[in-house]
Amino acid sequence: GGERLIYDAVDLAQRVPARYGEPLTDILGRDTTLAITRFALRAAAEGMTAGKSQLLIRDEVRVEVLRHVKASHRRLLDTSAEHATLIVECAQALQAGVVRLGTAGGEAFLGRAARRAGDWEHRADAILTSQRQAARRVEGGHTITALTAVADDAIDDLEEAVFLLTLLPSEAISVARPLLEPLTAITVMAAREYLKSVEIAR
């Protein structure tokens, strides 16, 4: 009945029920499944050898599963914070690009900034995809992922804005810079405040 013990513990630890026979790696991930299985084997072997009751051993396994489920929630917030950090980086690249418009070396800087922003946007997409997979079995996971998805739209737009700066004709710079500088300052401030809110949630 050892396999039933672990599934029952997973059922108790999270709101989304585990179907008996469903691979635990699909529910908890490979590393967590290995850690829980090792703990359950050790707790059962040592507990029975020490004369512990089966109920006490079951409780120990349930507590361990609950600890891992809570850690999964924390990992979701960790990935949200990583995603938010990429948004800040992209917003700062946009601001720096506007400041360097029309300056010596400004065109080369914008090219590098656009490439970096593209990399950050791809990393952010990968984080969101990974988070969506991990959130299926975490209580409140869909809420965290929904927030990250909205933030992902922001980094998409920021990456596009950085790229569009590289296409700005030189004769438009004197008109565009005074309009864009205060907007990019607000953008950086908003990105930093969003990151702060995610860090407070952690």
Side-chain angles (χ1 to χ4, degrees), residues 68-91:
H68 280 283
V69 168
K70 286 184 176 180
S72 297
H73 189 270
R74 173 61 188 260
R75 280 193 296 275
L76 279 185
L77 290 173
D78 288 345
T79 57
S80 289
E82 183 182 355
H83 190 278
T85 300
L86 294 173
I87 294 172
V88 172
E89 293 283 4
C90 217

Side-chain angles (χ1 to χ4, degrees), residues 8-21:
D8 288 346
V10 171
D11 270 342
L12 286 171
Q14 44 190 18
R15 293 278 180 90
V16 183
R19 296 188 303 275
Y20 184 62

Side-chain angles (χ1 to χ4, degrees), residues 4-177:
R4 180 77 257 181
L5 164 66
I6 295 177
Y7 277 94
D8 288 346
V10 171
D11 270 342
L12 286 171
Q14 44 190 18
R15 293 278 180 90
V16 183
R19 296 188 303 275
Y20 184 62
E22 181 180 11
L24 278 177
T25 52
D26 290 351
I27 302 169
L28 303 171
R30 181 181 181 277
D31 293 342
T32 301
T33 299
L34 282 173
I36 288 171
T37 303
R38 286 179 181 134
F39 178 87
L41 289 170
R42 186 172 61 251
E46 293 175 358
M48 295 302 284
T49 303
K52 289 182 181 177
S53 73
Q54 289 191 20
L55 288 176
L56 179 57
I57 294 169
R58 286 178 186 275
D59 286 343
E60 289 174 350
V61 172
R62 286 174 184 154
V63 168
E64 182 69 7
V65 170
L66 183 59
R67 186 178 70 80
H68 280 283
V69 168
K70 286 184 176 180
S72 297
H73 189 270
R74 173 61 188 260
R75 280 193 296 275
L76 279 185
L77 290 173
D78 288 345
T79 57
S80 289
E82 183 182 355
H83 190 278
T85 300
L86 294 173
I87 294 172
V88 172
E89 293 283 4
C90 217
Q92 289 174 338
L94 177 63
Q95 184 181 41
V98 168
V99 168
R100 285 171 174 78
L101 281 172
T103 64
E107 191 174 331
F109 177 87
L110 278 171
R112 291 193 302 273
R115 287 191 294 275
R116 287 198 307 270
D119 290 342
W120 292 326
E121 190 270 333
H122 288 309
R123 282 170 56 192
D125 282 346
I127 289 170
L128 177 58
T129 300
S130 173
Q131 192 180 80
R132 279 177 170 151
Q133 292 171 349
R136 292 184 310 134
R137 296 289 180 173
V138 176
E139 182 181 346
H142 78 281
T143 303
I144 296 171
T145 303
L147 181 63
T148 306
V150 172
D152 200 62
D153 291 340
I155 196 168
D156 290 345
D157 292 338
L158 286 168
E159 185 268 336
E160 184 178 0
V162 175
F163 171 73
L164 289 174
L165 282 182
T166 67
L167 306 179
L168 192 68
S170 56
E171 61 270 19
I173 290 173
S174 61
V175 176
R177 185 191 289 126

